Structures are given as structure tokens and as C-alpha cells.
């Protein structure tokens, strides 16, 4: 059964957008498995069902917390150096898609994830979510419509995406306003998640010129603050992480790239969402939050 853990984590993470909660769900699934003497026809199918049902329950509770979340909500990032191949490098695990899936109800999200990411047949899905097969088809159709408007599109060539991300990072480091505008799509979006704890933009910012100016202002301070920017693969897509002088994590940034331009920039600054990556920095925290943090 341990060989199923990566698969179960992938399902739970897509359902919840949280590394810590996904790990807890998988652990609970294994505990429940050991507590039963059932001999299923398929251990894989049995564990997928347990994991998905637990994740649905957790998501129902999490929805209440997320409605009261301060500022924009983004999923906890998976960084290549921290979690290589924990999830597949594909669009259903991108930060953009996980954010879109927040529009769905827990059952809609389960049906969407199990069908779109793992290609389970409708019979299996129906048994897991306790719905009829025809109803599951309707649920999936409705879920697809709900995410269709914002459905991200990504360039397929990883080398080209890495190259564009490197140009973006170089322009940001150098304060090159025109260079940033050149790599950003005209309707690009910048979303920051500080959770009310870290300094971040309160609402999504749109448009290449405005985003470029904001990035120049922010990254113009990194040398003075002793911050280094390291390229990384974030949720299967190019990005980078910022580290302070002591090597502690300030934030993680994921990039969406489509048609040779950066269409989305997702900056996770909330230290609670970065703790799984290592020690987090106090740099960038709001004063009250900094003084309240345990030493």
C-alpha cells in the first residue's frame, strides 16, 4: 500500500490546494484502511475512494475558513527542489487551475479531479461520491462550464517556458521596466497571497504596464534587503522563490506562460503556506505579525 501514497497525495492536493491538509488526508486514509478487515477487489480503487471522501469532508470545513480569508487565496505551492514529481507536471495542478477549482462545490471538485486528472470511469466516480452515473456526467459538465471562462492555457515546451521565465527574472532583478512589459501579456494578472500576515497587494492587479511598475518597485529593493531570487519549478510550471540573507523563504512565485508571454504571476507570501518548504523569513511580514511570531 505505501506505493499508493503519491497517487493519493496527488488526489488530495488537487482537492484541497494544501500540502499539510493533503498529507493529513492521506494519513487518515491509511489509518482507516488498517482499521477495517475488508478485502477489496482493488486496493487502489478502495484507497482512492477513502481518500476522496475524506477530502470532500475536509474541503467542506475549509470553505468556511476560506470565505473569511484576508485578501486573495492561493494554494500552497509545490516547489521542485522541495517536492520533485510529487504531482505531475500538467495543467490540472497549476496554481491557476487550483485557484479556479475553488469555484466548485466539494462534490463537483471531486468529480472534476477524478475524471479530468485521473480518468476514472463514471461508474467508479459515482460510487465514490454516492451519485448516479448520469448525475456525475451532469456534475462534470457543470463543473467544466464553471471553470471554462478562466481556464488557463499553457505553452507546451518546457525549455521555452524556462527561457521566458529567466528573461522575466532578469528584468525584475535589473529593474528593467520595458523588459518586463515585453514578456508580460497585455492582460496579465498579478495575484499576491499574504493572508493578512505578510505585505501583499490587497486585490489582483491587471495589465502589463501596471504590473511591471509594481515589480520594478518591489524588486528594486532586493539587493538592499539581501534577498536572492532562485529559479524553481512551481506546481509543474516555471517560477522562483525569494530567500533572505539567512536562506529563509520570503515568498514563492509561480508563472503562467501562454503564446510566448507571461499571463499570470502568483506570489505566495503567507508564511503558513510556505512552512512545508523550510524556515520562513520575517522579512515582508506586517509589524504586528512579526512581533507575534514565536521564536
Amino acid at each position: 500500500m505505501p506505493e499508493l501514497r503519491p497517487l493519493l497525495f496527488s488526489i488530495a492536493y488537487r482537492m484541497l490546494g494544501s500540502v499539510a491538509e493533503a498529507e493529513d488526508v492521506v494519513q487518515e486514509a491509511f489509518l482507516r484502511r488498517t482499521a477495517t478487515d475488508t478485502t477489496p477487489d482493488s486496493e487502489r480503487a478502495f484507497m482512492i475512494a477513502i481518500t476522496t471522501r475524506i477530502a470532500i469532508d475536509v474541503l467542506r470545513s475549509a470553505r468556511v475558513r476560506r470565505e473569511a480569508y484576508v485578501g486573495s487565496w492561493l494554494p500552497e505551492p509545490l516547489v521542485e527542489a522541495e517536492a520533485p514529481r510529487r504531482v505531475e507536471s500538467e495543467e490540472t495542478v497549476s496554481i491557476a487551475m487550483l485557484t479556479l477549482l475553488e469555484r466548485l462545490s466539494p462534490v463537483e471538485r471531486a468529480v472534476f479531479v477524478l475524471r479530468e486528472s485521473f480518468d476514472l470511469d463514471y461508474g467508479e466516480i459515482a460510487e465514490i461520491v454516492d451519485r448516479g452515473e448520469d448525475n456525475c456526467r451532469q456534475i462534470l459538465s457543470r463543473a467544466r462550464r464553471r471553470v471554462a471562462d478562466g481556464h488557463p492555457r499553457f505553452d507546451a515546451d518546457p525549455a521555452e517556458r524556462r527561457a521566458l521565465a529567466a528573461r522575466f527574472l532578469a528584468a525584475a532583478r535589473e529593474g528593467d521596466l520595458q523588459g518586463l512589459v515585453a514578456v508580460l501579456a497585455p492582460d496579465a494578472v498579478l495575484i499576491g497571497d499574504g493572508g493578512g500576515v505578510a505585505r501583499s497587494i490587497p486585490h489582483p492587479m491587471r495589465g502589463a504596464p501596471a504590473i511591471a511598475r509594481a515589480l520594478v518597485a518591489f524588486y528594486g529593493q532586493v539587493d538592499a534587503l539581501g534577498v536572492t531570487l532562485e529559479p524553481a519549478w512551481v506546481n509543474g510550471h516555471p517560477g522562483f522563490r525569494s530567500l533572505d540573507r539567512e536562506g529563509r523563504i520570503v515568498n514563492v512565485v509561480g508563472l503562467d506562460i501562454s503564446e510566448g508571454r507571461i499571463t499570470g504571476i502568483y506570489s505566495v507570501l503567507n508564511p503558513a503556506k510556505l512552512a512545508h518548504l523550510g524556515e520562513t523569513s520575517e522579512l515582508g511580514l506586517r509589524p504586528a505579525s512579526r512581533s507575534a511570531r514565536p521564536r
Side-chain angles (χ1 to χ4, degrees):
M1 278 199 303
E3 67 276 7
L4 293 174
R5 188 173 290 272
L7 168 64
L8 302 181
F9 176 86
S10 293
I11 293 171
Y13 178 72
R14 283 173 171 82
M15 284 289 296
L16 300 167
S18 165
V19 173
E21 289 177 336
E23 289 175 340
D24 288 345
V25 164
V26 173
Q27 184 63 26
E28 177 64 20
F30 277 105
L31 289 174
R32 292 190 187 184
R33 179 67 186 97
T34 58
T36 179
D37 55 5
T38 300
T39 305
D41 293 334
S42 168
E43 193 69 43
R44 179 180 184 275
F46 189 73
M47 291 302 294
I48 287 175
I50 294 176
T51 299
T52 304
R53 290 168 185 156
I54 297 172
I56 288 173
D57 290 340
V58 172
L59 186 57
R60 285 175 175 146
S61 174
R63 294 293 287 269
V64 176
R65 298 195 306 272
R66 291 176 190 180
E67 286 172 2
Y69 194 79
V70 178
S72 300
W73 181 93
L74 292 174
E76 295 178 13
L78 286 174
V79 179
E80 184 179 35
E82 170 265 341
R85 293 177 297 281
R86 290 184 72 172
V87 291
E88 299 81 1
S89 176
E90 46 114 343
E91 68 179 56
T92 62
V93 80
S94 72
I95 291 179
M97 177 56 79
L98 291 175
T99 304
L100 280 175
L101 293 184
E102 290 292 300
R103 300 179 180 182
L104 306 181
S105 72
V107 170
E108 285 175 337
R109 188 160 179 168
V111 172
F112 186 93
V113 165
L114 294 175
R115 183 64 180 174
E116 297 290 286
S117 296
F118 300 96
D119 199 30
L120 266 66
D121 64 47
Y122 286 105
E124 291 178 279
I125 296 172
E127 186 173 349
I128 291 170
V129 300
D130 195 23
R131 301 287 196 280
E133 289 188 38
D134 288 343
N135 189 212
C136 284
R137 288 186 174 89
Q138 293 169 0
I139 290 171
L140 180 62
S141 178
R142 183 168 64 246
R144 284 171 172 166
R145 288 196 302 270
R146 295 188 68 182
V147 302
D149 290 344
H151 197 289
R153 296 288 186 268
F154 305 113
D155 286 353
D157 190 328
E160 290 181 5
R161 286 186 286 154
R162 284 187 186 273
L164 187 64
R167 287 175 56 197
F168 171 87
L169 196 53
R173 284 169 171 159
E174 296 165 9
D176 181 357
L177 183 65
Q178 295 307 313
L180 284 169
V181 171
V183 298
L184 292 169
D187 58 349
V189 60
L190 167 64
I191 300 177
D193 178 347
V197 178
R199 294 188 180 93
S200 180
I201 57 174
H203 307 289
M205 181 179 294
R206 299 183 183 277
I211 292 173
R213 288 192 295 270
L215 293 174
V216 166
F218 177 77
Y219 288 109
Q221 306 174 54
V222 296
D223 288 340
L225 295 172
V227 172
T228 57
L229 310 179
E230 292 186 348
W233 209 244
V234 179
N235 285 61
H237 296 267
F240 59 94
R241 55 183 175 180
S242 305
L243 306 176
D244 68 13
R245 285 189 174 91
E246 285 72 40
R248 297 171 299 195
I249 300 168
V250 178
N251 76 327
V252 169
V253 176
L255 304 173
D256 287 348
I257 296 173
S258 178
E259 298 180 356
R261 296 285 187 91
I262 293 170
T263 57
I265 305 167
Y266 306 94
S267 176
V268 182
L269 302 102
N270 184 349
K273 294 188 174 184
L274 301 173
H276 62 285
L277 300 172
E279 187 176 0
T280 57
S281 176
E282 293 191 349
L283 194 65
L285 295 185
R286 297 182 185 280
S289 303
R290 184 182 297 116
S291 61
R293 289 191 74 188
R295 296 283 180 178

